Amino acid sequence: MDPNAEHGVEPLDEDWSRLLAVVAHPDDLEYGAASAVARWTAAGKWVGYLVVTHGEAGMADTVPREAREIRRAEQVASAAVVGVRDVWFLDHPDGLVEYGPALRRDITRVVRRTAPDRLLTATERLTFGARQLNQPDHRAVALATLDAAKDAANRWIFPELAADEGLEPHAGVRAVLTMGSGAPTHGVDVTDWLDAGARSLRCHARYLASLGRPFDPAVFLRDMTAAGGLAMGVPHAVLLERFDTASV
Ligand SMILES: [Zn+2]
């Protein structure tokens, strides 16, 4: 029983042109959202990725200094598959990302630089979906990204960004979208984009091999988005929770 089905979701509006995705780890976007990214970039929208760590603690069989290079390269390759050429990495420590002003400032800096009208991140909730425990880096990055939508617009938050780096406020972020929420509000029909999504996820080949268990990206994405599709009334959908940023 899909708990989303009883709520139903609306198709996500597409009257925007620039989206910055902010995630904790290489691969966070490829477990579903990359199919939606493929759809958006094919429609001419700009999408950029900001990855807060290098995922260096994510490969049990590889020491962090080597893992970070592997995972960085895999992320850049997987982004290119779905039409994303702008990928930035911060250097927060994998597994130990701290929510706070430093992280908010690092994200705000890139929001001001890239002037998006949408942000995308993983859910800030304690769980992915209904029951699966979320990961602390995801929660920290999500909270800081939700905050950055407003921090970017406020001249008096992180004034050094304008004074020292010439990054003037950007008030154009109208909504933040989160992936993996147990209470999704919107969906993206990715029926025609599953293949691109699977190819993007396959780029994380060394990482996926390090997990030490069989994993088929195409099957995984097909099954996950089929569940999302039920809530939207299409064969395959990526579900998102949308937070609007209009001032109250
Ligand atoms: Zn992750």
Side-chain angles (χ1 to χ4, degrees):
M1 179 66 191
D2 179 359
N4 304 321
E6 67 186 79
H7 301 295
V9 299
E10 297 175 39
L12 182 71
D13 64 285
E14 297 201 345
D15 61 340
W16 50 270
S17 60
R18 297 178 65 79
L19 179 145
L20 178 67
V22 185
V23 293
H25 311 119
D27 85 1
D28 287 354
L29 283 157
E30 285 71 41
Y31 281 101
S35 300
V37 171
R39 174 187 168 120
W40 295 331
T41 57
K45 300 178 186 300
W46 174 86
V47 177
Y49 289 176
L50 175 61
V51 186
V52 169
T53 79
H54 286 77
E56 67 272 14
M59 297 172 70
D61 61 358
T62 307
V63 296
R65 75 171 184 283
E66 292 174 17
R68 61 177 279 133
E69 301 309 320
I70 292 167
R71 303 205 68 193
R72 183 183 180 105
E74 290 187 340
Q75 178 66 84
V76 169
S78 67
V81 166
V82 292
V84 174
R85 276 160 193 79
D86 294 314
V87 184
W88 297 275
F89 292 85
L90 301 176
D91 223 353
H92 290 251
D94 185 16
L96 297 170
V97 175
E98 290 185 328
Y99 169 73
L103 181 58
R104 285 168 57 188
R105 182 173 53 234
D106 283 348
I107 296 171
T108 296
R109 176 182 290 113
V110 181
V111 172
R112 289 193 184 181
R113 232 181 240 153
T114 58
D117 31 41
R118 295 289 182 278
L119 297 177
L120 172 69
T121 188
T123 182
E124 85 294 351
R125 293 169 182 264
L126 287 175
T127 59
F128 263 122
R131 285 276 171 263
Q132 187 185 338
L133 187 62
N134 199 358
Q135 198 267 356
D137 292 349
H138 300 166
R139 301 198 311 262
V141 170
L143 282 177
T145 301
L146 288 157
D147 294 345
K150 295 208 166 200
D151 294 340
N154 187 328
R155 174 172 302 280
W156 309 120
I157 305 284
F158 310 129
E160 66 274 22
L161 291 179
D164 300 343
E165 302 179 41
L167 295 170
E168 291 295 322
H170 170 67
V173 177
R174 295 285 176 242
V176 183
L177 308 164
T178 65
M179 311 174 281
S181 169
T185 57
H186 292 76
V188 181
D189 183 346
V190 295
T191 306
D192 295 334
W193 304 101
L194 282 182
D195 182 53
R199 281 188 282 117
S200 183
L201 181 51
R202 271 195 205 101
C203 290
H204 295 278
R206 296 274 302 275
Y207 168 73
L208 292 172
S210 80
L211 299 179
R213 57 178 183 267
F215 177 79
D216 184 330
V219 171
F220 171 85
L221 290 177
R222 188 192 65 207
D223 291 350
M224 191 197 76
T225 56
L230 284 177
M232 198 181 162
V234 300
H236 295 279
V238 170
L239 301 185
L240 304 165
E241 185 173 5
R242 192 181 83 188
F243 297 87
D244 298 325
T245 58
S247 296
V248 292

